[in-house]
Amino acid sequence: EVQLVESGGGLVQPGGSLRLSCGASGFTFSSHWMSWVRQAPGKGLEWVANIKEDGSETYYVDSVEGRFTISRDNPKNSLYLQMNSLRVEDTALYYCARDHPVATAGHDCWGQGTLVTVSS
Amino acid sequence: DIQMTQSPSSLSASVGDRVTITCRASQSISTYLNWYQQQPGKAPKLLIYTASSLQSGVPSRFSGSGSGTDFFLTISSLQPEDFATYYCQRSHSKYTFGQGTKLEIK
Protein backbone atom coordinates (compact mmCIF):
# COMPACT_ATOMS: atom_id res chain seq x y z
CA GLU A 1 0.00 0.00 0.00
CA VAL A 2 1.31 3.43 -0.92
CA GLN A 3 1.84 5.53 2.17
CA LEU A 4 3.13 9.03 2.82
CA VAL A 5 3.63 10.20 6.40
CA GLU A 6 4.52 13.79 7.20
CA SER A 7 6.17 15.01 10.38
CA GLY A 8 7.96 18.04 11.77
CA GLY A 9 5.13 20.54 12.03
CA GLY A 10 4.59 22.72 15.06
CA LEU A 11 4.42 26.23 16.45
CA VAL A 12 7.15 28.66 15.41
CA GLN A 13 7.61 32.40 15.75
CA PRO A 14 7.68 34.70 12.72
CA GLY A 15 11.15 34.71 11.24
CA GLY A 16 11.86 31.23 12.54
CA SER A 17 12.66 27.98 10.75
CA LEU A 18 11.17 24.52 10.56
CA ARG A 19 12.01 21.35 8.66
CA LEU A 20 9.25 19.08 7.49
CA SER A 21 9.82 15.44 6.61
CA CYS A 22 7.79 12.95 4.62
CA GLY A 23 8.43 9.22 4.75
CA ALA A 24 7.33 7.19 1.76
CA SER A 25 6.56 3.48 1.50
CA GLY A 26 4.79 1.06 -0.79
CA PHE A 27 6.25 2.36 -4.06
CA THR A 28 9.57 3.10 -5.74
CA PHE A 29 10.22 6.53 -4.26
CA SER A 30 13.16 7.29 -6.55
CA SER A 31 10.94 6.95 -9.64
CA HIS A 32 8.58 9.80 -8.84
CA TRP A 33 8.59 13.57 -8.74
CA MET A 34 7.33 14.68 -5.32
CA SER A 35 5.52 17.80 -4.16
CA TRP A 36 4.52 19.76 -1.09
CA VAL A 37 1.04 21.29 -1.09
CA ARG A 38 -0.38 23.42 1.72
CA GLN A 39 -3.79 24.48 2.93
CA ALA A 40 -4.32 27.40 5.28
CA PRO A 41 -7.07 26.86 7.87
CA GLY A 42 -10.46 27.05 6.16
CA LYS A 43 -8.87 27.97 2.82
CA GLY A 44 -8.07 26.31 -0.49
CA LEU A 45 -5.09 24.34 -1.71
CA GLU A 46 -1.78 25.89 -2.71
CA TRP A 47 1.05 23.99 -4.40
CA VAL A 48 4.34 24.92 -2.71
CA ALA A 49 7.19 23.09 -4.41
CA ASN A 50 8.22 19.97 -6.26
CA ILE A 51 11.38 18.03 -6.97
CA LYS A 52 12.48 15.72 -9.75
CA GLU A 53 13.14 12.02 -9.18
CA ASP A 54 16.90 12.48 -8.76
CA GLY A 55 16.69 15.86 -7.04
CA SER A 56 18.30 17.69 -9.95
CA GLU A 57 15.36 20.04 -10.57
CA THR A 58 13.20 21.94 -8.11
CA TYR A 59 10.36 24.43 -8.56
CA TYR A 60 8.61 26.74 -6.12
CA VAL A 61 5.57 28.95 -5.86
CA ASP A 62 6.67 32.58 -5.99
CA SER A 63 5.63 33.30 -2.39
CA VAL A 64 8.18 30.85 -0.91
CA GLU A 65 11.01 31.21 -3.46
CA GLY A 66 14.24 31.94 -1.62
CA ARG A 67 12.81 30.99 1.80
CA PHE A 68 11.87 27.32 1.37
CA THR A 69 14.03 24.49 0.06
CA ILE A 70 12.68 21.13 -1.06
CA SER A 71 15.04 18.14 -1.01
CA ARG A 72 14.96 14.37 -0.97
CA ASP A 73 16.98 11.39 0.19
CA ASN A 74 16.13 8.50 -2.10
CA PRO A 75 17.97 5.76 -0.14
CA LYS A 76 15.93 6.82 2.91
CA ASN A 77 12.68 7.18 0.93
CA SER A 78 12.27 10.64 2.39
CA LEU A 79 11.19 14.08 1.23
CA TYR A 80 11.97 17.29 3.08
CA LEU A 81 10.91 20.92 3.17
CA GLN A 82 13.25 23.34 4.90
CA MET A 83 11.29 26.47 5.73
CA ASN A 84 13.17 29.62 6.75
CA SER A 85 12.08 33.20 7.44
CA LEU A 86 8.60 31.94 8.23
CA ARG A 87 5.69 34.36 8.05
CA VAL A 88 2.25 34.32 9.65
CA GLU A 89 0.80 33.63 6.19
CA ASP A 90 2.76 30.36 5.99
CA THR A 91 0.46 28.91 8.63
CA ALA A 92 -1.13 25.85 7.03
CA LEU A 93 -1.50 22.12 6.91
CA TYR A 94 1.37 20.90 4.74
CA TYR A 95 0.78 17.82 2.59
CA CYS A 96 3.39 15.64 1.00
CA ALA A 97 2.16 14.35 -2.36
CA ARG A 98 3.43 12.00 -5.04
CA ASP A 99 3.35 13.35 -8.55
CA HIS A 100 1.47 11.19 -11.01
CA PRO A 101 3.65 9.01 -13.26
CA VAL A 102 2.08 10.77 -16.24
CA ALA A 103 3.79 14.13 -16.54
CA THR A 104 1.57 17.10 -15.60
CA ALA A 105 -1.14 14.76 -14.30
CA GLY A 106 -1.15 16.16 -10.81
CA HIS A 107 -0.70 14.34 -7.53
CA ASP A 108 -2.05 10.82 -7.20
CA CYS A 109 -1.16 10.04 -3.58
CA TRP A 110 -1.23 12.30 -0.52
CA GLY A 111 -0.22 12.10 3.10
CA GLN A 112 -2.48 13.28 5.90
CA GLY A 113 -0.54 16.48 6.48
CA THR A 114 1.45 18.17 9.24
CA LEU A 115 0.32 21.46 10.74
CA VAL A 116 2.62 24.47 10.77
CA THR A 117 1.56 27.44 12.87
CA VAL A 118 3.53 30.67 12.64
CA SER A 119 2.61 32.98 15.48
CA SER A 120 4.19 35.14 18.16
CA ASP B 1 0.82 34.22 -13.82
CA ILE B 2 -2.04 32.04 -15.01
CA GLN B 3 -5.09 32.33 -12.78
CA MET B 4 -7.66 29.57 -12.33
CA THR B 5 -11.26 30.55 -11.57
CA GLN B 6 -13.92 28.03 -10.59
CA SER B 7 -17.67 28.54 -10.75
CA PRO B 8 -19.82 28.36 -8.88
CA SER B 9 -18.05 28.77 -5.51
CA SER B 10 -20.80 26.72 -3.90
CA LEU B 11 -23.57 24.56 -5.19
CA SER B 12 -26.57 22.82 -3.64
CA ALA B 13 -27.86 19.66 -5.25
CA SER B 14 -29.74 16.46 -4.47
CA VAL B 15 -28.76 12.82 -4.64
CA GLY B 16 -29.25 11.66 -8.22
CA ASP B 17 -28.73 15.10 -9.77
CA ARG B 18 -26.33 15.77 -12.60
CA VAL B 19 -23.96 18.61 -11.77
CA THR B 20 -21.25 20.44 -13.66
CA ILE B 21 -18.47 22.57 -12.19
CA THR B 22 -16.57 24.99 -14.41
CA CYS B 23 -12.91 25.98 -14.26
CA ARG B 24 -11.56 28.80 -16.39
CA ALA B 25 -7.89 29.59 -17.02
CA SER B 26 -6.75 33.16 -17.64
CA GLN B 27 -4.88 31.93 -20.71
CA SER B 28 -4.74 28.73 -22.70
CA ILE B 29 -3.35 25.71 -20.85
CA SER B 30 -4.14 23.10 -23.51
CA THR B 31 -5.33 20.08 -21.48
CA TYR B 32 -3.01 20.58 -18.50
CA LEU B 33 -5.88 20.47 -16.06
CA ASN B 34 -6.63 18.15 -13.16
CA TRP B 35 -9.58 17.80 -10.78
CA TYR B 36 -9.58 16.83 -7.10
CA GLN B 37 -12.17 16.03 -4.47
CA GLN B 38 -11.60 16.88 -0.82
CA GLN B 39 -13.79 15.59 1.97
CA PRO B 40 -13.78 17.56 5.26
CA GLY B 41 -10.72 16.74 7.34
CA LYS B 42 -9.23 14.54 4.62
CA ALA B 43 -6.46 14.86 2.06
CA PRO B 44 -7.47 15.68 -1.52
CA LYS B 45 -8.10 12.86 -3.96
CA LEU B 46 -7.22 13.00 -7.65
CA LEU B 47 -10.30 12.39 -9.83
CA ILE B 48 -9.42 13.49 -13.36
CA TYR B 49 -6.05 14.27 -14.95
CA THR B 50 -5.10 15.96 -18.22
CA ALA B 51 -8.65 17.30 -18.50
CA SER B 52 -10.49 14.08 -19.29
CA SER B 53 -8.60 10.99 -18.05
CA LEU B 54 -10.27 9.18 -15.17
CA GLN B 55 -7.85 8.31 -12.36
CA SER B 56 -7.72 4.64 -11.48
CA GLY B 57 -10.36 3.64 -8.96
CA VAL B 58 -12.56 6.69 -9.47
CA PRO B 59 -16.22 5.92 -10.29
CA SER B 60 -17.26 6.44 -13.90
CA ARG B 61 -19.97 8.93 -12.90
CA PHE B 62 -17.15 11.47 -12.77
CA SER B 63 -16.01 12.90 -16.09
CA GLY B 64 -13.94 15.80 -17.27
CA SER B 65 -13.89 17.78 -20.51
CA GLY B 66 -12.52 20.93 -22.04
CA SER B 67 -9.31 22.36 -23.42
CA GLY B 68 -7.67 25.73 -23.81
CA THR B 69 -9.26 27.96 -21.20
CA ASP B 70 -12.58 26.30 -20.30
CA PHE B 71 -12.88 23.03 -18.42
CA PHE B 72 -15.73 21.10 -16.88
CA LEU B 73 -16.14 18.45 -14.20
CA THR B 74 -19.42 16.58 -14.44
CA ILE B 75 -20.91 14.17 -11.93
CA SER B 76 -23.64 12.28 -13.76
CA SER B 77 -25.69 11.11 -10.78
CA LEU B 78 -24.75 12.46 -7.36
CA GLN B 79 -24.17 9.99 -4.58
CA PRO B 80 -24.14 10.86 -0.85
CA GLU B 81 -20.36 10.48 -0.71
CA ASP B 82 -19.88 13.06 -3.50
CA PHE B 83 -20.79 16.02 -1.31
CA ALA B 84 -17.38 17.60 -0.85
CA THR B 85 -15.19 20.43 -2.13
CA TYR B 86 -13.78 20.18 -5.64
CA TYR B 87 -10.64 21.86 -6.95
CA CYS B 88 -9.24 22.25 -10.41
CA GLN B 89 -5.48 22.52 -10.89
CA ARG B 90 -3.47 23.63 -13.87
CA SER B 91 -0.27 21.68 -14.28
CA HIS B 92 1.74 23.29 -17.03
CA SER B 93 5.11 24.53 -15.72
CA LYS B 94 4.05 25.14 -12.12
CA TYR B 95 0.83 24.08 -10.46
CA THR B 96 -2.02 26.43 -9.58
CA PHE B 97 -5.29 25.45 -7.94
CA GLY B 98 -8.67 27.04 -8.39
CA GLN B 99 -10.36 28.45 -5.30
CA GLY B 100 -12.64 25.45 -4.90
CA THR B 101 -16.33 24.61 -5.30
CA LYS B 102 -18.23 23.37 -2.28
CA LEU B 103 -20.95 20.90 -3.23
CA GLU B 104 -23.64 20.68 -0.57
CA ILE B 105 -26.78 18.63 -0.11
CA LYS B 106 -29.99 20.46 -0.96
Side-chain angles (χ1 to χ4, degrees), chain A residues 35 37 39 43-47 50 59-62 65 95 99-100 102-112, chain B residues 1 31-34 36 38 41-46 48-50 55 87 89 91-99:
Chain A
S35 286
V37 177
Q39 186 167 35
K43 302 298 184 182
L45 300 168
E46 181 180 41
W47 172 81
N50 69 349
Y59 299 92
Y60 300 90
V61 68
D62 289 350
E65 186 90 51
Y95 293 103
D99 285 12
H100 198 286
V102 173
T104 74
H107 321 292
D108 64 345
C109 295
W110 298 65
Q112 286 307 300
Chain B
D1 271 6
T31 56
Y32 297 117
L33 194 285
N34 312 309
Y36 298 84
Q38 187 177 32
K42 298 287 186 64
K45 174 186 175 183
L46 180 64
I48 302 287
Y49 61 93
T50 58
Q55 172 66 2
Y87 294 93
Q89 178 200 44
S91 52
H92 181 54
S93 181
K94 299 183 179 182
Y95 296 101
T96 306
F97 288 93
Q99 83 277 16

Side-chain angles (χ1 to χ4, degrees), chain A residues 17-20 36 60 67-71 80-84:
Chain A
S17 298
L18 212 54
R19 188 196 197 207
L20 306 184
W36 288 99
Y60 300 90
R67 299 189 299 122
F68 290 12
T69 302
I70 187 172
S71 63
Y80 306 102
L81 186 67
Q82 177 66 43
M83 303 186 295
N84 298 331

Side-chain angles (χ1 to χ4, degrees), chain A residues 19-81:
Chain A
R19 188 196 197 207
L20 306 184
S21 299
C22 171
S25 60
F27 66 101
T28 305
F29 181 72
S30 59
S31 297
H32 289 264
W33 283 72
M34 296 293 296
S35 286
W36 288 99
V37 177
R38 67 185 179 182
Q39 186 167 35
K43 302 298 184 182
L45 300 168
E46 181 180 41
W47 172 81
V48 174
N50 69 349
I51 185 168
K52 194 176 179 180
E53 297 96 326
D54 62 0
S56 62
E57 294 180 35
T58 58
Y59 299 92
Y60 300 90
V61 68
D62 289 350
S63 59
V64 309
E65 186 90 51
R67 299 189 299 122
F68 290 12
T69 302
I70 187 172
S71 63
R72 64 193 297 161
D73 186 334
N74 285 344
K76 292 185 177 179
N77 291 331
S78 293
L79 178 72
Y80 306 102
L81 186 67

Side-chain angles (χ1 to χ4, degrees), chain B residues 12-98:
Chain B
S12 293
S14 302
V15 172
D17 284 354
R18 178 185 179 92
V19 299
T20 296
I21 297 169
T22 299
C23 179
R24 177 161 290 169
S26 58
Q27 63 189 74
S28 177
I29 57 171
S30 184
T31 56
Y32 297 117
L33 194 285
N34 312 309
W35 289 98
Y36 298 84
Q37 176 195 68
Q38 187 177 32
Q39 301 283 2
K42 298 287 186 64
K45 174 186 175 183
L46 180 64
L47 300 175
I48 302 287
Y49 61 93
T50 58
S52 60
S53 296
L54 190 67
Q55 172 66 2
S56 175
V58 173
S60 58
R61 63 181 179 273
F62 291 93
S63 64
S65 61
S67 66
T69 60
D70 295 325
F71 301 88
F72 309 94
L73 173 70
T74 298
I75 310 172
S76 60
S77 178
L78 276 173
Q79 299 302 299
E81 60 269 28
D82 299 337
F83 292 95
T85 299
Y86 293 84
Y87 294 93
C88 64
Q89 178 200 44
R90 69 107 172 171
S91 52
H92 181 54
S93 181
K94 299 183 179 182
Y95 296 101
T96 306
F97 288 93

